[in-house]
Structures are given as structure tokens and as C-alpha cells.
Amino acid sequence: MPATDFQESSSSPSSFGFSILSRRRDQVHSMESTHEATSQEIELEAFQRQVAERFQDLAAADSHELLSIPWIRKLLDTFLCCQEEFKVIVMNNKSKLSRPPMERHISDFFERSVKALDVCNAIRDGIEQIRQWQKQLEIVLCALGNQRSIGEGQFRRAKKALVDLAIAMLDEKDSNTTLAHRNRSFGRHSAQKEQRSFGHFRSLSWSVSRSWSAARQLQAISSNLVAPRGNEIMSTNGLNVAVFTMNYVLLFVMWALVAAIPCQDRGLQTHFSVTRQCLWAAPILSLHERILEEAKKRDRRNSCGLLKEIYDIEKCARHMNELTDSIHFPLTDEKEREVKQRVEEVRRVYEAIRDGLDPLERQVREVFHRIVRSRTDGLDSISRANSHD
Amino acid sequence: MAENGEEKLIAVARHIAKTLGHTDTMTDDILKIFSNFDGRLREKLTEKLSEDGVEQTLNALDRQISRYISADNPIWSNSADAAAFLGSVDQLIAAVRDWTPLADDKSISSCLDRAEDLLQQSMFRLEDEFRTLVERGAESFDLTLSESTHPHPDYSDYDDDDDNVFADEDENFIPVAQQITDYDIVIDALPAGTIGDLHAIAKRMVAAGYVKECSHAYSACRREFLDESFSRLGLQKLSIDDVHRMQWTQLEDEIEKWIKAINVALRILFPSERRLCDRIFLGFSSAADLSFMEVCRGSTIQLLNFADAVAIGSRAPERLFKVLDVYETLRDLMPEFELNFSDQYCLSLRNEALTIWKRLGEAIRGIFMELENLIRRDPVKAAVPGGGLHPITRYVMNYLRAACRSRRTLEQVFEESIDYRKGDDQVLSSSSSLAVQMEWIMELLERNLEAKSKIYRDSALCSVFMMNNGRYIVQKVNDNELGTLLGEDWIRKHTAKLRQYHVNYQRSSWSKVLGVLKVDNSSTSPSGASKSLREKLKLFNSYFEEICRTQSSWVIFDAQLRDELRSSVSGSLSLAYRNFVAILQAVPDFGKNADRYIRYSVDEVEARIGELFQGTSGGKR
């Protein structure tokens, strides 16, 4: 009977697993143990619904919001909320989770979440990286922002900051070739020397070894992540669907972070396969698709992160570079107006980053701490439930 | 007259400004105040500037400065050049400052543009010189700390020249090549002269508004130095995943290296960086704080991430001791974190350290929980032959004894979470959390042992098993921190339990034998008595034989306990047997043939009892 139920329910696109449970609940309504089972089922269904609603909300973002710092923060908020709700489920089901087959599922989830911790740390490094770029923008503003009149000196100063910015933003693989073109107003140092110190500068920003790879880490989180089968859903009362859901949320959030923020060996090839029957599958898959499309765009393909603000940095730096290349002194009034306009653009980008990065970093840290906490609490309570058997 | 008076007034104003203003800035400010006071004064006071003088000054500065800016060799390779260049830059900065308020004047404005251009070029050159000095300065030092050529005490308030004041201090006599055991030193990462030069450059860059470039160049170079120091200390960059996948023995080595590295970092490297920063950015505290944070942030995160990975890692009980080391290391370094990272920029690093320290405490509590699980789940099925000491007893007791050597730390760890056993009904009140924890583990062990004793079918063997293990437990508890924690009552209670096991043993194996030897000589006829005595003797022989055969393979691991047990058995038995034999021999028709029936002499009984508990192999443990 469970098998038929599953097949039936899988034909309706918006429900997965839970329709069986609700149907069975109706069937067994008169039985004695109904009350407890029902409250658990309600809890699990509510979890599915809330995850779905939150991701629908995220997916409602227009193309300007998507992958912006505020959007990433909302994504992390979503993760934290899901994590909290999941934690309650774990606490309420500790004795079930301490026995097979759920024991294996939950320890598997905790293993994956430990892998996510390294992603969080890499993202923190990435945020620090963006902060270094922010400093160069600040110098541009300092040079051109509050000046009585804008002279060649200020332009050279801004230009140098822009060159430093461009080098810092380059992907590792391209960095060496472009370094030779590094343009200084005067040069006593050989290009080689600058390359050396620059190389060090970059490596110092990462707290993990040079061989660490975000793509590999995502691969590890996603490996063997398969949707639960119908008969197991029945035998676990749908508990394994909740664990699968949380696994998937974890994977997607980490993947999106890696997509948005610079880190070592960003690869977005992680395979997302989830049956559309999960309530939350549609919004997550649509977000996945939109982010991948963004990554394929010509002007973003070689970017070091899909974060909207990074794109803004690239754009305003490019505008500024074009402007500084086309400029002749003395400045015409028209040029001066253009400079002012560009400086304003830089200022807007700079301010968005300045105001956004600190709370973002704190939130990434919070996600890290929460993952650790929920894992520790989960393992403790399950092991305690085990010992009282 | 009026004209004359005005001239005088202006001259006086200039004089006042010059005298009051100790620095150029102050003079300038005072002049500005005068100028604002009266418009006519402004004209007069600045009048001299607005003419050819401006252009002449600028041309002169341009000539002096351009020569240096285009120089191929580092300016700072010659101190006279450096001083001359700095002098010119000072004049240029002052000129720009003086001319800026007059920029409305067209001719001054164009001079100002040229001056600012020159200033920018000077700053680029200064930035390069700055970077070179930091790099060369660091290169001139051997980075290996134990060979550091300039270890000297941390009297950072004093200049280098004052150091000889402390020549009598012990620290100055630390042999240079020795391993550092005293962390209370600060190294000079750069030669004093270089520090002075760097400060001189930083001062100009700050004055000209190039503080960001200066701080950036500084922190990039020093970060590199720190990173190199770290790899010299053998520290790798490890992800949490790396740490988790690592073999425990390898991780133990990494922990050793980490302990050394974090001590060197927090006690020597970071304070040295702090001092260097404060000296180079002397007078610019915000730039100093920011640069310091930029220098130390990455290394600190690397150090903390490792500790975090250890805290999050496996909670296998054997890890306790190393995790305790990491916990204690961080705990002992908390004052250093406070000290080094006291400014606003570093606050988050300090909090991070605190969080991870607490997490290590949690990990330690988790390890104890794992120990509990290990005891609970220790399989009951396999009985130790001969009722001897069970490996779990040996393991747990030695583990707890070793753990209690860190009693104070453990007390701290368990005090931190009073609610650790919240909701658990086994909580024992009125002692420290650690004592509660220890009593709880002992109780689990005893429960487990009791369950194990049940698989012996012979209840005497069951008692022997409990006696052996109980004896071991009490022995291990006595005279150490574990005993102090559990308390005298606990020990007394368990010693009493041991006596009870002893009594149980006697009762269950020897009461039957002793019962046989009891002679009731009141109500039987002589012939009946004789017959019954013969029966009794036969029974005794077979019981005694059987018990000796069985129990000679049993084990009492402790020699003293073995002797006690044997002598208490032989004490009660040989007396009863002696009496019995005496009665036998007194029976008329029996006495003659007594030797035919009496298989054991009293001495032989005692000898056989002396052979009990030798274990299966007959060897003694």
C-alpha cells in the first residue's frame, strides 16, 4: 500500500511524501496512538511549507536584487530559520533519530554540515578580499572626491588605486600575464618584484591551504545526496524527508555563497537534482538556474564572484578607467562634470560595500556558529536518548 | 600715520603667530584666525605670498624634489639624501597648505595644481621607499625566533638607548641560541634606524592625506613577515576537513606545533608587531590600530581556526588530554588576547578567541559524555576468566586518574555549564560539578561491572570478580586527586562494599563445607555417629576437592587481597577441620581406621587453600 500511495502522490507536482502521511492520518484517525503521530506529522509538514515559502520569497527577487549583499543576507537568514526549525524537529524526535535507519541519515547530515564550515571560513576570507578592494575605491574617492580642483596628480593617484584594484580582482590564472602591464607613474622596482609581493599578498588572505577547493568541498557536501524513497518515508514517518530537506537547503546555500563571493577554486558545476515534487524544489531550482545564467553572461564569466556589488565595482572601475584614459588637462567643464558623476558612482558602490560587508561577515560567522551548535546539541541529545534506551 | 599703524599691526600679527605657533600648522591656524578677524588683515597678511614668491618657491622645490623622484637608487641608501628629500617634502606640504586658502587667485591656483602634482609624485616615491625599507629591514633579520639577535625585555616605554639601564636584568643574559622558554620578550623586527626612517615617511604621508596607501603598504609587508614566521614554526594552513581526516597521531603532532606557535605569536610576535606599529605610526593611533589589525588578522584566524577544528572534531575519549592542552593554552593566552587586541578593530578577533575557548570546554564535556557511552556500551557478554580484573575497569580508572591531574581545569570546564545534566535525574547535589561527573562515571562503571558479574554462574566467582574490580577501583582512587574529588565517604562506602563481597564469597563457597564439618554429638548413637561422621568426611573431601580444583584457577590480581582471602578461608576452615578430625579420631571404632578415611591432614588443607586463586596458567599476576 505505501508504494501505491507514493506513486499516486508523486503524480501531483506540489506534494512529496507528505500527502501520504496526511492521507494515512485520516485513515488511522480512530486509532489510539493517533494524537502523537499527528502532531509530529503536522510539525514535519509545517517545516516543508516554511522552507518552501522562504525560498519562494527569495526567488521573488528581481534581477537587481538577486545576488546583492541584502539578498545574500536574506538567504543566510533563511538558512538560519530553517536550521532553527530543523533543530526543534531533531529535539522532538531524538529517540527515533538514535535508531536505524534515521541514525545513519542524521549523522550523514551532521557530516555534511561540518563540510559546510570550511565553506563558511572560505567565504569569510572572500569577504576580507572584497574589503581590500573597498580600500582601493576609498583611495579613488580620496583622490577625486573632495578636491578643490582635480589635477593630474589626483588622477594619477586614482589611477594607481584602480590598477591595484584590477590586479587584486584578477583571477589567479590570469594574474601573472596582466601583472607585467602594471602601470606605475614611475618605476624603480622591476615588475618581477611587485609580482612577488603581490603574490604573497594574495596568498595571505586565505586561511586555508592553497590546495583547498570550494568546488571540491561543494562536491563533498552534495555526494550521495538522494531523495528518500517512498517506503522509507513511510517507515520513518517522513522524518527522513525533513533531514533530506535540510541537507538540500545546506547544499544550496553553500553553493550560492560560493557563486557570489570570491574563494579558492570556485566551481559551480555541483549537480542539483531534486525531484520537483518537494514543495521547495521549484523555487530552489529556479534560483539555481538564474544564478547559473548569471554566471554564463559574457561580462560575468571571468568574474571572481557573482555578487552584485562586485559587478558594480568592476563596472565603476571600468568607467573610471575609461575616463582617466580619455582625459586631457586642463579639464573642460563637461569633463569635469563627467568626473563628478563617475566619482558619485564610485561613492555609491563604495558605500554599499562599506555598509554591507560587516553585517554580512557577522552573519556568515553566525551561520558557522549555528551549524556547530546545532550539530553539537543534536549529537548530544541523540547520544543521550540512546543511553536511556 | 594710519598706514604706518596698519603695517605695524600686521608685523605684530605675524610675530604673534610665529611665536605662539610651535609648529607650522599652528602658525597657520593663528594667521587664519587673524585673517578672519578682519578682511584687511587677510589681504595684508597673505599679500607677500601672492606674488612671484610663490612661483619661485615652487620652482625651487620642483628642482630639489624632481631630482629625487627620478633617482634610480633608493633615496634612503644615503641618509643625507633622505633628510634633504624629507625637508623638501615638508616645505612642499607646508606650501600647499599655505596656498590652498588663496586658491581663488588664478595664478596661485595654477601653482597649487603644480604643487599638488609634485606632492603626489613625492608620495608615490615615499610609498616605494617605505615599502623597500620595510622589506629590506625584515630581510636583514634572521626570522628564526630562537636565533633572534635582539631579544630584549619588553620595556616598550623606553627608547633603545635606555636599554642598558636594565643590563642587570636576567633577561639580557639569555643565551642567544637557546630555545625560548621565557616568552616575556619583544623582538625588534626592524632595526631601530629603519623604524625611525619609516616613522619619518609615515608622518609625511599622513600629513599629505596618503595614510591609506601607507598603512596598506605597511600591512602587506608585515603580513608577509608574519606568514613566514608561521611557516618557520612549522604551522600549516589546515581546513576543518583536513583536521578531521587527519590520523590522530599526526594531529597530536600538529597540536604540539600549534601550542608552540600560538604562544610565540601571542606573546612575542604580536606584541612586537604592536610595538612596531605604534612606533612607525606614532601619533596616528587610528592608523596604527588599523594597520596592526590588518597585519595580525589572517594569522590569528589561522591559529583560531585550528583550535576550532579540534573543538569540533571527534570526541573519542583518548583525545581528552590533547584537547585539554589546547583548552589550557587558549585559556592561559586570554590575557594576551585582551592585551594585543584591545582596540576597536581587533575586538572581533578577541571575541572569536573567547568563543573558541568556550567551545573547547564544550568539547571536553562532550568527550566525557563519550566516555560514559563507552562504559555503557561495553559488551557484557565476554566474561573475564577466573573473575579477574576487567579491562574496562583498568581503562576507566587509569583514564580518570590521568584526567584528574588536570583537576583544576576540568573543574573550570564543568563549572561553566551547570546545566549540563539538566533534566537528568541522576544529579547528585552539594558537590562540585566535576565531582558529580566523576561519581556519575563511577556509578556507570559499577553498574556495568555488576551486569558483567551476572554472567558468572557461580555466585562465589561473581563475588571474586566484584572484589577484584572493586579492589582495583579503591586502590586507584586512594591518595590522588580522584579520591579527593570523590571524597572520603565514597571511599568508605566502597571499602565496606568490598567487605560485603568478601563475606558473600565466604558464604557462597565455604559455608557448605563448614556446614558439613559441624558435628551434633548430642542425639545420635555411637554407631550412628560414626556412620554419619564417615559420610560427612566423604562429603567434605569431595566438596573441598571440588572447590580447590575450581578456585585454584580463579584469579585475585592483588597479592595482598589474595593472602587476606586465603588466610580468612584457612582461618575458619582449618579450625573447624581440626576439631572435626579430633572428634573423628575420638570415635572408638573409627579412630583406628581414621587414616584410611582422612584424605587431608590439617596441614594439607591449609596447603591446598594456599594454592587457591592462582589463575588458569597457575601464574600470578
Side-chain angles (χ1 to χ4, degrees):
Chain A
M1 193 189 81
T4 33
D5 261 355
F6 176 62
Q7 274 162 14
E8 273 176 36
S9 68
S10 66
S11 61
S12 83
S14 64
S15 61
F16 176 56
F18 284 91
S19 57
I20 351 166
L21 291 175
S22 25
R23 204 166 315 157
R24 202 183 56 158
R25 188 171 66 222
D26 296 339
Q27 286 163 5
V28 294
H29 202 66
S30 55
M31 285 169 70
E32 267 182 20
S33 64
T34 323
H35 183 71
E36 210 184 22
T38 309
S39 76
Q40 188 207 17
E41 282 167 19
I42 289 172
E43 185 183 40
L44 293 178
E45 276 181 68
F47 179 58
Q48 295 296 309
R49 211 170 38 246
Q50 275 155 357
V51 171
E53 278 166 11
R54 293 219 164 85
F55 276 94
Q56 266 150 15
D57 198 24
L58 281 168
D62 64 28
S63 62
H64 290 292
E65 289 170 84
L66 187 73
L67 291 167
S68 64
I69 292 179
W71 187 84
I72 298 283
R73 295 196 53 201
K74 201 165 154 187
L75 176 75
L76 294 177
D77 261 338
T78 298
F79 177 80
L80 290 173
C81 291
C82 295
Q83 177 93 354
E84 271 321 285
E85 280 156 20
F86 183 69
K87 196 169 142 186
V88 174
I89 292 177
V90 170
M91 291 299 154
N92 290 344
N93 293 282
K94 42 191 174 214
S95 66
K96 285 191 195 90
L97 290 168
S98 68
R99 283 192 299 265
M102 284 317 295
E103 184 196 26
R104 187 168 46 81
H105 290 310
I106 194 77
S107 69
D108 181 60
F109 166 71
F110 288 136
E111 273 312 297
R112 285 181 212 278
S113 63
V114 167
K115 292 195 185 336
L117 296 179
D118 277 328
V119 176
C120 290
N121 277 344
I123 293 301
R124 177 165 58 155
D125 288 348
I127 291 173
E128 184 58 26
Q129 197 85 4
I130 301 174
R131 215 173 260 135
Q132 299 297 327
W133 307 341
Q134 175 198 331
K135 291 206 176 99
Q136 303 298 341
L137 289 185
E138 203 180 354
I139 293 176
V140 174
L141 288 177
C142 198
L144 303 177
N146 308 306
Q147 299 301 330
R148 167 191 58 86
S149 75
I150 304 166
E152 265 182 282
Q154 278 98 356
F155 262 97
R156 263 198 301 270
R157 186 183 181 190
K159 182 82 189 171
K160 177 165 166 280
L162 289 170
V163 170
D164 285 346
L165 173 67
I167 293 170
M169 288 182 84
L170 274 179
D171 252 347
E172 229 113 69
K173 50 186 191 305
D174 317 321
S175 60
N176 291 341
T177 50
T178 323
L179 261 168
H181 301 300
R182 187 174 180 183
N183 166 22
R184 300 289 282 268
S185 55
F186 58 93
R188 176 173 43 80
H189 294 289
S190 63
Q192 197 193 356
K193 175 148 174 83
E194 278 166 18
Q195 194 169 334
R196 187 187 73 103
S197 53
F198 171 66
H200 277 281
F201 163 70
R202 273 189 73 94
S203 73
L204 283 161
S205 302
W206 307 111
S207 59
V208 289
S209 77
R210 305 285 283 152
S211 61
W212 190 85
S213 149
R216 219 167 342 112
Q217 201 69 12
L218 287 174
Q219 214 64 49
I221 297 175
S222 72
S223 76
N224 299 321
L225 185 56
V226 284
R229 286 202 310 272
N231 53 352
E232 223 178 78
I233 298 174
M234 291 303 289
S235 69
T236 63
N237 269 343
L239 202 53
N240 62 346
V241 180
V243 176
F244 172 72
T245 304
M246 201 54 222
N247 265 321
Y248 215 88
V249 167
L250 178 82
L251 173 63
F252 177 75
V253 170
M254 292 304 140
W255 179 84
L257 281 177
V258 169
I261 290 166
C263 47
Q264 272 182 191
D265 191 28
R266 289 165 60 249
L268 304 179
Q269 297 84 29
T270 308
H271 192 52
F272 277 79
S273 66
V274 62
T275 160
R276 288 252 171 202
Q277 282 108 23
C278 288
L279 284 173
W280 40 263
I284 285 189
L285 288 177
S286 117
L287 281 170
H288 176 244
E289 216 165 289
R290 284 173 69 189
I291 292 172
L292 271 188
E293 267 167 35
E294 192 67 23
K296 281 179 200 145
K297 280 187 189 159
R298 203 163 52 84
D299 53 346
R300 313 248 41 209
R301 213 179 293 150
N302 294 318
S303 175
C304 41
L306 297 177
L307 194 72
K308 205 100 224 153
E309 285 76 4
I310 294 180
Y311 185 54
D312 292 341
I313 296 176
E314 286 169 350
K315 210 165 54 180
C316 78
R318 192 175 59 241
H319 291 158
M320 211 58 186
N321 270 319
E322 284 163 7
L323 181 69
T324 49
D325 289 344
S326 72
I327 228 151
H328 297 286
F329 290 94
L331 290 181
T332 61
D333 285 353
E334 192 196 345
K335 271 288 175 205
E336 198 161 338
R337 266 200 305 280
E338 198 185 335
V339 170
K340 289 225 160 65
Q341 203 182 328
R342 291 302 177 208
V343 168
E344 274 321 296
E345 186 188 354
V346 172
R347 192 184 302 283
R348 273 197 302 278
V349 174
Y350 165 78
E351 279 167 2
I353 293 169
R354 183 196 60 195
D355 300 339
L357 284 187
D358 284 356
L360 179 63
E361 183 183 359
R362 274 198 298 276
Q363 215 177 357
V364 170
R365 231 24 223 158
E366 179 64 22
V367 165
F368 181 101
H369 290 313
R370 251 356 144 78
I371 289 176
V372 173
R373 173 121 311 277
S374 95
R375 175 175 170 270
T376 314
D377 290 352
L379 287 176
D380 282 0
S381 73
I382 289 165
S383 117
R384 216 168 282 161
N386 218 350
S387 66
H388 290 304
D389 276 355
Chain B
M1 179 68 194
E3 191 74 0
N4 195 16
E6 200 168 62
E7 255 170 39
K8 266 188 183 159
L9 177 67
I10 288 161
V12 168
R14 280 186 199 280
H15 182 71
I16 292 172
K18 278 246 162 65
T19 336
L20 287 180
H22 298 301
T23 66
D24 292 348
T25 337
M26 282 172 75
T27 310
D28 196 48
D29 287 346
I30 294 165
L31 278 175
K32 215 180 262 171
I33 292 168
F34 285 148
S35 311
N36 290 342
F37 183 68
D38 191 317
R40 282 167 304 166
L41 269 181
R42 175 164 51 216
E43 275 169 38
K44 294 293 176 185
L45 279 169
T46 53
E47 161 180 67
K48 282 247 160 59
L49 290 173
S50 59
E51 302 304 326
D52 296 344
V54 169
E55 191 145 7
Q56 272 168 19
T57 311
L58 182 59
N59 288 341
L61 283 173
D62 198 349
R63 271 194 306 280
Q64 291 163 31
I65 288 175
S66 297
R67 191 159 60 89
Y68 289 115
I69 301 183
S70 54
D72 280 336
N73 293 321
I75 301 173
W76 261 259
S77 57
N78 179 326
S79 58
D81 283 346
F85 181 51
L86 283 181
S88 308
V89 170
D90 280 341
Q91 287 176 42
L92 180 62
I93 293 173
V96 168
R97 198 179 46 227
D98 288 348
W99 300 341
T100 303
L102 314 170
D104 294 343
D105 183 313
K106 208 151 180 221
S107 67
I108 290 198
S109 175
S110 73
C111 282
L112 194 53
D113 282 349
R114 267 183 63 205
E116 280 177 343
D117 195 34
L118 194 59
L119 186 62
Q120 172 268 316
Q121 294 185 50
S122 311
M123 288 302 135
F124 277 21
R125 181 73 200 211
L126 280 180
E127 187 188 334
D128 272 6
E129 295 287 337
F130 186 89
R131 190 178 284 116
T132 310
L133 282 172
V134 178
E135 280 173 1
R136 297 255 164 99
E139 277 162 18
S140 71
F141 277 80
D142 192 316
L143 298 180
T144 311
L145 282 165
S146 52
E147 290 166 16
S148 172
T149 44
H150 286 258
H152 72 76
D154 179 15
Y155 299 108
S156 43
D157 289 344
Y158 298 89
D159 288 329
D160 288 349
D161 299 342
D162 294 338
D163 274 350
N164 53 9
V165 172
F166 301 93
D168 292 335
E169 299 281 342
D170 289 341
E171 285 94 327
N172 279 4
F173 291 112
I174 296 173
V176 158
Q178 227 176 43
Q179 182 79 31
I180 286 176
T181 47
D182 180 3
Y183 289 113
D184 194 18
I185 57 166
V186 170
I187 52 167
D188 279 325
L190 299 175
T194 308
I195 295 174
D197 290 341
L198 288 169
H199 173 60
I201 297 178
K203 222 162 95 181
R204 273 70 182 192
M205 291 186 75
V206 172
Y210 281 67
V211 61
K212 288 180 190 73
E213 279 95 336
C214 186
S215 158
H216 191 78
Y218 174 82
S219 25
C221 296
R222 293 311 298 171
R223 219 160 29 200
E224 190 178 318
F225 172 87
L226 262 192
D227 207 47
E228 274 174 36
S229 303
F230 269 49
S231 48
R232 274 161 200 261
L233 287 165
L235 216 59
Q236 300 178 55
K237 291 184 171 181
L238 296 167
S239 70
I240 295 174
D241 228 18
D242 292 337
V243 172
H244 283 203
R245 277 202 305 260
M246 207 175 262
Q247 291 286 314
W248 174 235
T249 50
Q250 198 190 342
L251 185 54
E252 278 182 311
D253 292 346
E254 286 298 324
I255 289 176
E256 286 298 317
K257 279 189 249 166
W258 176 87
I259 290 174
K260 285 208 185 75
I262 194 170
N263 271 299
V264 171
L266 267 296
R267 294 182 198 274
I268 300 174
L269 293 175
F270 293 170
S272 304
E273 288 302 327
R274 181 79 246 188
R275 196 166 86 129
L276 185 64
C277 234
D278 288 344
R279 289 167 80 179
I280 290 178
F281 294 100
L282 184 68
F284 316 112
S285 66
S286 172
D289 289 348
L290 185 66
S291 307
F292 174 72
M293 185 274 279
E294 292 269 317
V295 169
C296 298
R297 186 182 187 278
S299 313
T300 309
I301 285 179
Q302 186 190 342
L303 287 168
L304 290 177
N305 274 358
F306 179 81
D308 212 6
V310 170
I312 296 165
S314 150
R315 297 184 164 186
E318 74 264 20
R319 299 199 163 195
L320 174 71
F321 305 98
K322 275 281 176 274
V323 177
L324 272 171
D325 287 347
V326 177
Y327 176 90
E328 285 173 349
T329 304
L330 261 191
R331 178 197 61 197
D332 297 345
L333 285 173
M334 284 320 290
E336 267 68 31
F337 273 100
E338 299 272 332
L339 208 66
N340 285 307
F341 300 143
S342 57
D343 61 86
Q344 47 158 341
Y345 299 105
C346 289
L347 195 69
S348 68
L349 291 176
R350 200 172 71 192
N351 291 338
E352 201 63 6
L354 196 68
T355 307
I356 290 167
W357 172 44
K358 297 282 169 200
R359 193 172 280 155
L360 282 159
E362 224 170 86
I364 292 169
R365 293 193 292 272
I367 288 174
F368 272 92
M369 201 147 87
E370 275 308 304
L371 179 70
E372 292 171 19
N373 290 336
L374 184 134
I375 298 170
R376 268 195 208 100
R377 290 172 195 156
D378 196 60
V380 167
K381 290 159 213 143
V384 178
L389 189 57
H390 197 279
I392 185 85
T393 313
R394 198 185 280 271
Y395 175 81
V396 172
M397 294 317 294
N398 288 315
Y399 186 93
L400 293 184
R401 260 178 82 110
C404 283
R405 276 184 221 128
S406 313
R407 179 185 155 193
R408 300 195 60 147
T409 302
L410 286 174
E411 268 170 350
Q412 188 180 14
V413 165
F414 282 97
E415 283 320 316
E416 266 162 29
S417 83
I418 298 299
D419 63 342
Y420 168 56
R421 297 220 146 268
K422 197 172 61 185
D424 218 330
D425 39 12
Q426 281 90 3
V427 175
L428 307 162
S429 55
S430 81
S431 47
S432 83
S433 303
L434 178 63
V436 171
Q437 176 67 37
M438 289 298 168
E439 276 186 60
W440 171 236
I441 292 178
M442 294 310 299
E443 197 181 322
L444 285 175
L445 177 63
E446 282 172 81
R447 279 192 209 168
N448 181 271
L449 289 171
E450 270 162 28
K452 283 179 168 128
S453 74
K454 299 287 192 300
I455 50 169
Y456 295 110
R457 252 173 277 150
D458 190 329
S459 67
L461 183 53
C462 183
S463 299
V464 165
F465 175 78
M466 289 309 286
M467 238 187 298
N468 268 321
N469 288 280
R471 175 78 168 197
Y472 189 80
I473 291 172
V474 172
Q475 273 179 353
K476 287 289 174 180
V477 163
N478 259 328
D479 304 327
N480 65 59
E481 293 281 7
L482 181 56
T484 322
L485 265 176
L486 291 169
E488 282 184 15
D489 273 358
W490 189 95
I491 297 175
R492 218 172 297 138
K493 214 174 90 192
H494 282 74
T495 313
K497 257 188 179 172
L498 276 180
R499 273 196 300 277
Q500 188 56 47
Y501 290 131
H502 191 145
V503 170
N504 290 350
Y505 161 76
Q506 286 272 27
R507 198 174 288 151
S508 50
S509 59
W510 296 101
S511 58
K512 196 165 65 170
V513 183
L514 285 168
V516 167
L517 294 179
K518 259 187 203 140
V519 181
D520 182 13
N521 44 11
S522 60
S523 65
T524 40
S525 66
S527 64
S530 162
K531 194 176 167 220
S532 119
L533 282 176
R534 217 168 29 234
E535 285 297 310
K536 277 175 180 283
L537 186 60
K538 264 166 81 182
L539 270 178
F540 170 82
N541 286 342
S542 88
Y543 285 168
F544 183 67
E545 181 65 28
E546 191 199 322
I547 291 178
C548 286
R549 200 179 56 239
T550 325
Q551 299 200 0
S552 69
S553 70
W554 291 4
V555 177
I556 296 286
F557 82 98
D558 179 56
Q560 198 195 336
L561 179 63
R562 194 162 55 224
D563 290 344
E564 274 171 34
L565 216 55
R566 281 171 183 165
S567 67
S568 86
V569 169
S570 84
S572 56
L573 190 68
S574 62
L575 184 66
Y577 189 62
R578 193 186 303 274
N579 287 338
F580 182 79
V581 169
I583 291 167
L584 263 186
Q585 282 168 337
V587 173
D589 58 338
F590 190 80
K592 289 168 276 176
N593 303 321
D595 288 350
R596 261 174 53 201
Y597 299 103
I598 297 173
R599 201 180 291 165
Y600 303 102
S601 71
V602 175
D603 286 348
E604 276 169 335
V605 164
E606 285 181 352
R608 287 300 295 274
I609 290 169
E611 287 163 13
L612 296 177
F613 314 122
Q614 289 189 335
T616 34
S617 58
K620 293 174 183 178
R621 300 189 64 174

